[in-house]
Amino acid sequence: MADDTLKGALDSKDKTNADTEAATEGGLLDGEEVRFNARIPEPLRDAFSDLCNRKGATMSGAIKRYMLQSVKDGEL
């Protein structure tokens, strides 16, 4: 998955020039993954799913990126 690309690249090198702290967005992407449930209208879910499919993304990955950006910006 696209979310694991950077981690895999870091793990595959003996010595990296990447800032691993920045690579995990200050630790926000570290730790155990947990399930997150949200109630949304079915048509919104379907439209979002279609958009993700067209863009080659997963719904989970897209939401994770949105959440990370919101936390970094301090805005919703």
Side-chain angles (χ1 to χ4, degrees), residues 1-11 23-25 29-30 33 56-66 68:
M1 295 188 139
D3 297 329
D4 296 327
T5 302
L6 183 57
K7 183 179 180 338
L10 291 174
D11 291 344
T24 59
E25 301 292 342
L29 298 177
D30 293 340
E33 289 195 351
T58 64
M59 291 182 4
S60 179
I63 291 169
K64 188 185 301 184
R65 285 187 297 279
Y66 175 77
L68 182 60

Side-chain angles (χ1 to χ4, degrees), residues 2-64:
D3 297 329
D4 296 327
T5 302
L6 183 57
K7 183 179 180 338
L10 291 174
D11 291 344
S12 70
K13 296 176 95 175
D14 291 330
K15 184 174 181 180
T16 180
N17 57 354
D19 179 353
T20 56
E21 183 67 14
T24 59
E25 301 292 342
L28 289 173
L29 298 177
D30 293 340
E32 182 179 342
E33 289 195 351
V34 296
R35 185 172 299 272
F36 172 78
N37 293 312
R39 293 194 158 290
I40 57 171
E42 187 175 11
L44 176 59
R45 191 246 355 241
D46 293 346
F48 187 64
S49 177
D50 289 344
L51 175 61
C52 288
N53 287 333
R54 287 194 311 271
K55 298 292 185 177
T58 64
M59 291 182 4
S60 179
I63 291 169
K64 188 185 301 184

